[in-house]
Amino acid sequence: MKKTLIGGLIVAVMMLSGLKVQAQNKLVINADQGKTQISRHIYGHFSEHLGRCIYGGIWVGPDSDIENINGYRTDVFQALKNLDIPNLRWPGGCFADEYHWTDGIGPRSERPKMINTHWGGVTEDNSFGTHEFFGFVELLETEPYITGNVGSGSVEEMSKWVEYINFDGVSPMADLRKKNGREEPWQIKYWGVGNESWGCGGNMTPEYYANEYRRYATFARDYPGAKLYKIAGGANSTDYNWTEVLMQKIPLHMMDAMSLHYYTVPGSWGNKGSSTDFSKEEYLLTLQKAAFMDELLTRHETIMDKYDPRKRVKLIVDEWGTWYDVEPNTNPGFLYQQNTLRDAFVAAITLNTFNKHADRVHMANLAQTVNVLQALILTDEDKMLLTPTYHVFDLYKPHMDATLLPSYVESEMVEAGGTKIEALNVSSSLSEDGTVNISIANVDPEKAIDLDVFLHGTQAKDVSGRYLTATDLNSHNTFDETDVVSIKEFKDFEWAKDVLEVKVPAKSVVVLRVK
Ligand code: AHR
């Protein structure tokens, strides 16, 4: 538990003088001290050619019996539209480094097939390619983020893809795009140079990748009206050396950001644990691992600060989320897992953490949007459900593009087995219209927490709230019961003079808005 020195002294004096000391949970927010904008892109997503994310999850094709808009599932489109998703990363992941974009253009029936060697060895028929992806992001009115192939591609191939997508004029690739039915360039911004180049993207050393990055980035051209935001493939979790080498070897003006991948795995990679069947200790351990994101970001940022104190090069956590054993009787290469209230807490803690690091973290992408890992949405043929994770993104929408507010939280602890973590995890922001947004996760499975909120620097008093909870830690939605975990109105708060007293229910995520 964090305590200020003064707070600690007051407690000590009260104890010595025999006064009763109560365990107090408090949150202090300075609503007039915000400086940093929380980029909306922190609330971004990721869709890979993996399992049933694209095929069956997003794309069913225009001839499908499943209701669709030009081939995109109507239900999935509507759910994502409701979240106002700020961006979508594609086509991978590991798949990106074996994807040859020219296979995915032209008449669908004539496109060559390939083996998706990373994910289940299934045949990829390339029916979802560049035009289909851009059709979807245009429908959603969201920003595309493309990851180009460094591992098995070439500088020429990547360079031509950029020309195909972004060049407005007469050129071989722009002409080909027009021949394929698209007159205007898409003029995209976010461009990733490879994925996990330390692993599935080519097993490179950081020194080797840094050189490759310089070559590939040179020929990924900026065209008029389409300046690229170039993202170097960053570290795997705690590989701080990777960050150090890239910061040393890549001239800062050549990259806008560096990525970072971190997955929350309750067990080991060989035995990750079940998505729905877990003990209280495993639950807390999972959340402790999610909360590690704070230390992870701090350590990578410290290295980046050494080379780039003005924080020009941003961090993009373009893969994060829980990773469990796949659901029984599903293809191990499809990474299909259920999603419970525990996942909602992982999302809440991680998003709170990204908010706090908003001065360096520009974007983050949950892995993955539909049917893969910590998905927002699960589908089964024509059925669809929204996961608890989806609902956290819904609750947290007000933080997008709001100003991060400095805050201080004192929280009691929750413990099981050898694992002990703070019960409360919080972040707060200020919307343009003056509304203060406070997101609070109480991860204690049994105990509601009385929280005193001290809101300084604002006259706002009109409070509304929404929250997410369920009967059990492993409660989840199913295709037969889609509303087991869903958002409800929250009213358990009142002003006591200038203090907002909130009773945060056990195992809940609450978002308060104070106008
Ligand atoms: O998200 C699943 C996989 O995890 C991605 O393809 C890869 O980049 C990472 O290892």
Side-chain angles (χ1 to χ4, degrees), residues 46 48 50 93-94 119 195-196 261 263 319 323 367-368 373:
F46 171 34
E48 180 168 10
L50 194 179
C94 295
W119 306 120
N195 170 75
E196 297 197 350
H261 288 184
Y263 283 98
E319 289 186 28
W323 195 321
Q368 298 193 6
L373 298 176

Side-chain angles (χ1 to χ4, degrees), residues 22-244:
Q22 289 195 329
Q24 204 194 13
N25 296 285
K26 76 174 182 194
L27 169 64
V28 183
I29 300 172
N30 290 314
D32 54 354
Q33 303 285 314
K35 288 193 187 75
T36 311
Q37 188 178 39
I38 298 170
S39 161
R40 62 190 295 100
H41 290 294
I42 282 176
Y43 292 81
H45 297 281
F46 171 34
S47 56
E48 180 168 10
H49 288 240
L50 194 179
R52 295 184 299 111
C53 182
I54 299 288
Y55 299 111
I58 290 173
W59 177 255
V60 286
D63 301 329
S64 172
D65 289 339
I66 297 173
E67 199 189 323
N68 67 84
I69 307 165
N70 301 329
Y72 312 105
R73 285 185 77 118
T74 308
D75 51 2
V76 169
F77 159 71
Q78 280 167 347
L80 295 177
K81 187 78 190 151
N82 171 55
L83 280 190
D84 202 9
I85 67 165
N87 64 62
L88 192 59
R89 178 175 184 243
W90 176 82
C94 295
F95 181 77
D97 279 295
E98 64 176 352
Y99 181 61
H100 300 287
W101 69 272
T102 48
D103 293 348
I105 56 172
R108 281 189 207 113
S109 57
E110 292 169 24
R111 295 183 190 173
K113 296 183 172 48
M114 66 178 282
I115 313 165
N116 191 335
T117 57
H118 283 294
W119 306 120
V122 294
T123 302
E124 161 68 57
D125 69 3
N126 280 304
S127 55
F128 190 93
T130 302
H131 292 251
E132 288 77 16
F133 173 66
F134 284 117
F136 192 49
V137 294
E138 282 185 339
L139 198 62
L140 284 168
E141 297 175 289
T142 192
E143 282 222 41
Y145 165 17
I146 296 252
T147 300
N149 180 345
V150 170
S152 71
S154 67
V155 170
E156 182 186 4
E157 182 183 12
M158 189 189 288
S159 172
K160 283 183 167 168
W161 202 8
V162 176
E163 181 186 323
Y164 187 90
I165 293 168
N166 273 358
F167 186 62
D168 190 7
V170 177
S171 83
M173 291 304 108
D175 292 350
L176 184 58
R177 182 190 70 233
K178 289 173 196 166
K179 190 173 146 234
N180 287 329
R182 173 75 186 201
E183 193 61 30
E184 303 296 320
W186 288 284
Q187 299 200 309
I188 77 155
K189 176 174 165 183
Y190 292 109
W191 195 272
V193 179
N195 170 75
E196 297 197 350
S197 302
W198 39 262
C200 66
N203 285 305
M204 302 175 199
T205 63
E207 289 80 7
Y208 184 84
Y209 173 74
N211 265 336
E212 287 295 274
Y213 176 87
R214 294 164 66 132
R215 230 158 55 87
Y216 277 77
T218 301
F219 297 96
R221 299 290 190 197
D222 291 334
Y223 292 106
K227 186 170 171 6
L228 289 180
Y229 183 102
K230 292 176 194 164
I231 301 157
N236 177 21
S237 178
T238 55
D239 185 354
Y240 302 112
N241 180 53
W242 186 276
T243 299
E244 183 92 45

